Amino acid sequence: MKEILKTANAPAAIGPYSQGVKANGFVFVSGQIPIDPATGAFAGEDIATQTRQCFKNVQSVLAEAGATLENAVRVNVYLKDINDFAAMNEVYATFFTGDFPARAAVQVAAIPKDALVEVEVIAAL
């Protein structure tokens, strides 16, 4: 059984996918780019601001499932430029305390809407 997650507190899907899916004790949050759902525009132009907005969006989708980032077991971070890794990592560290989830952070050729970063999360309930 699966439950489709949808919230106005995160950007609407820009394609044929769901913001998130809750299934079998897990929450799968689709890749979130740094769009502020209140404005429909990027939250900022720099990697720190964009990373922060990505995680706010992830938190909003997780909240729809009754979860938080404390439930995260896997995080994938996609960077337009791997040279932004250190700045992204500083922001990333402010969203997690204690035991950190497993993670990958890689450079990709392109991210939708030319974002600098995209974040996806798997959480266990």
Side-chain angles (χ1 to χ4, degrees):
M1 193 77 160
K2 68 180 180 180
E3 177 186 342
I4 302 302
L5 304 172
K6 185 174 183 181
T7 176
N9 296 322
I14 56 175
Y17 63 90
S18 301
Q19 290 171 317
V21 176
K22 182 177 175 180
N24 298 320
F26 288 94
V27 180
F28 301 87
V29 179
S30 292
Q32 296 295 309
I33 59 176
I35 293 176
D36 179 338
T39 66
F42 280 162
E45 305 271 330
D46 63 281
I47 190 66
T49 304
Q50 288 196 10
T51 300
R52 193 170 297 106
Q53 186 64 49
C54 288
F55 276 101
K56 287 179 181 178
N57 295 342
V58 166
Q59 287 176 314
S60 293
V61 178
L62 287 171
E64 278 298 302
T68 70
L69 284 172
E70 291 294 318
N71 298 97
V73 295
R74 174 73 180 177
V75 177
N76 289 333
V77 179
Y78 305 101
L79 296 165
K80 182 176 180 180
D81 184 347
I82 198 69
N83 292 311
D84 286 334
F85 179 84
M88 174 280 297
N89 212 36
E90 280 186 37
V91 174
Y92 179 98
T94 67
F95 283 91
F96 296 97
T97 58
D99 296 329
F100 296 106
R103 183 182 85 178
V106 297
Q107 178 175 311
V108 295
I111 298 172
K113 297 191 176 274
D114 206 29
L116 301 178
V117 60
E118 180 173 357
V119 176
E120 67 178 359
V121 170
I122 299 171
L125 298 174

